[in-house]
Amino acid sequence: MSDYQHFTRYSPSTGAGSPDVWGVYEADTGSIQYVMACPETKKAAVIDVVLNFDPRSARSSTESAQKVLDLVREQGLDLVQILDTHPHADHMIAAAWLKEQTGLPNAIGARTMQIAELWREIYNLPDLDPKPFYDRFFEDGDSFNIGNVQVSVELSTGHTLGSISYFAGDAGFVHDTLMYPDSGSSRADFPGGSAEELWDSIQSILLRADDTRLFVGHDYGKGDREEPAWEATVAEHKRDNIHVKSGTDKADFIKTREERDATLALPDRMLHALQVNLRGGNLPEPEDDGRSYFKIPANRF
């Protein structure tokens, strides 16, 4: 999918209280970065923006995040919030760079603190602490406004123990729970993950109105599709999603998900990414030579 390095698709608001949505595809990690905006006030938020990282050279760059900021400016939007759904394992987050560029607050789920507890032990980094690096930690049931669009926060664990989804009008940003219907669901085998909790989170998402637009966190492509895809309605997932469509029961889902996860390798950026994402997208503190260094546990996974 190299031709779609920054493939962008627009999903217009469908009525009062619902946002305009742009998805920007990042091919190296199969990630979708989102801009949601109030169609009336043009106030906007960005969600799950990627800090590019080459694991071979351990070099980061801001190409994808700059593309998202360029989109915001091209559309005449007034960016007011930087959001993430969880401290991703497959890519680094760009929240710190976005804050530096815009001066805006960033936010993530409150259970990111519990995720940090797991990774402090894995990295043997007792001082790894998200608190100084995020401006707000959302609890399940919190809400806030982007212009005239009210956004609610729903805890949706399973992929991680601290993942959250954002719902605004008929739009839901459901991160690494569902994937596009022909690809099913996301993995649940990272530290703190749970296939059982993932099922419960997905069932809660699918209780919403059938015309709710669900925007997922990743697409790795299918052979019969020419372009990446990331938007489908609740009704489409209930009808077509290969892991959770109507007629699937919890036990079957857990078996399918756990068997699939057992065949998957770690994401190639994971051990670098978590120590950055739990610090709001900041690289480790520079040492006396002015350079940052990653700490990677040998023989841990």
Side-chain angles (χ1 to χ4, degrees):
M1 286 193 179
S2 59
D3 290 343
Y4 303 108
Q5 184 68 35
H6 294 292
F7 183 84
T8 301
R9 185 177 289 116
Y10 171 56
S11 180
S13 169
T14 58
S18 293
D20 291 328
V21 178
W22 291 262
V24 182
Y25 186 72
E26 196 284 305
D28 286 345
T29 61
S31 301
I32 299 92
Q33 311 158 102
Y34 290 106
V35 178
M36 72 165 165
C38 171
E40 297 169 345
T41 67
K42 304 300 182 183
K43 302 289 186 185
V46 293
I47 304 172
D48 290 342
V49 180
V50 173
L51 179 69
N52 301 105
F53 182 74
D54 180 354
R56 294 165 298 184
S57 62
R59 178 173 292 276
S60 63
S61 65
T62 59
E63 179 185 0
S64 290
Q66 185 62 62
K67 291 283 187 183
V68 174
L69 282 187
D70 289 347
L71 173 64
V72 168
R73 292 170 183 141
E74 289 163 5
Q75 297 298 324
L77 304 176
D78 178 14
L79 188 63
V80 296
Q81 184 73 264
I82 301 160
L83 305 173
D84 277 280
T85 56
H86 63 290
H88 309 268
D90 63 308
H91 70 262
M92 292 182 184
I93 68 173
W97 183 81
L98 290 168
K99 270 188 77 168
E100 181 181 284
Q101 297 299 303
T102 65
L104 295 172
N106 64 341
I108 200 165
R111 287 198 184 181
T112 297
M113 302 297 187
Q114 295 178 35
I115 297 173
E117 290 176 11
L118 293 175
W119 285 90
R120 276 198 286 271
E121 184 274 326
I122 292 169
Y123 287 125
N124 193 26
L125 287 173
D127 295 329
L128 184 62
D129 184 3
K131 288 196 292 294
F133 301 106
Y134 289 95
D135 296 296
R136 184 170 180 183
F137 292 91
F138 289 121
E139 299 281 359
D140 183 39
D142 280 349
S143 64
F144 58 97
N145 286 350
I146 302 295
N148 295 332
V149 173
Q150 185 177 62
V151 183
S152 62
V153 177
E154 180 174 306
L155 186 65
S156 46
T157 61
H159 177 67
T160 78
L161 61 82
S163 301
I164 57 173
S165 296
Y166 298 105
F167 290 95
D170 76 340
F173 301 89
V174 298
H175 63 91
D176 301 8
T177 50
L178 294 159
M179 298 186 77
Y180 197 66
D182 61 8
S183 299
S185 60
S186 291
R187 65 193 296 172
D189 61 325
F190 297 147
S194 164
E196 180 175 3
E197 289 186 19
L198 183 61
W199 167 268
D200 292 341
S201 294
I202 290 171
Q203 294 311 302
S204 178
I205 290 166
L206 295 181
L207 287 175
R208 293 180 178 268
D210 278 352
D211 61 354
T212 301
R213 298 174 289 164
L214 298 180
F215 297 94
V216 302
H218 291 281
D219 184 54
Y220 303 116
K222 300 289 282 190
D224 56 351
R225 276 203 271 118
E226 294 184 357
E227 296 177 349
W230 51 79
E231 176 187 352
T233 65
V234 164
E236 288 169 329
H237 278 285
K238 289 194 292 190
R239 185 189 68 217
D240 299 328
N241 188 289
I242 62 171
H243 288 171
V244 297
K245 62 187 175 184
S246 297
T248 305
D249 66 23
K250 185 173 185 176
D252 286 341
F253 172 83
I254 292 171
K255 181 175 185 291
T256 297
R257 185 68 266 163
E258 290 182 344
E259 288 179 352
R260 169 67 174 153
D261 289 349
T263 71
L264 300 176
L266 287 186
D268 61 2
R269 293 158 172 80
M270 177 174 169
L271 297 179
H272 296 87
L274 265 298
Q275 60 195 284
V276 170
N277 294 344
L278 290 167
R279 302 174 74 252
N282 290 278
L283 296 177
E285 285 294 324
E287 298 189 9
D288 56 9
D289 63 354
R291 295 187 180 278
S292 294
Y293 291 85
F294 294 101
K295 188 173 185 182
I296 304 297
N299 300 319
R300 174 61 175 78
F301 291 95

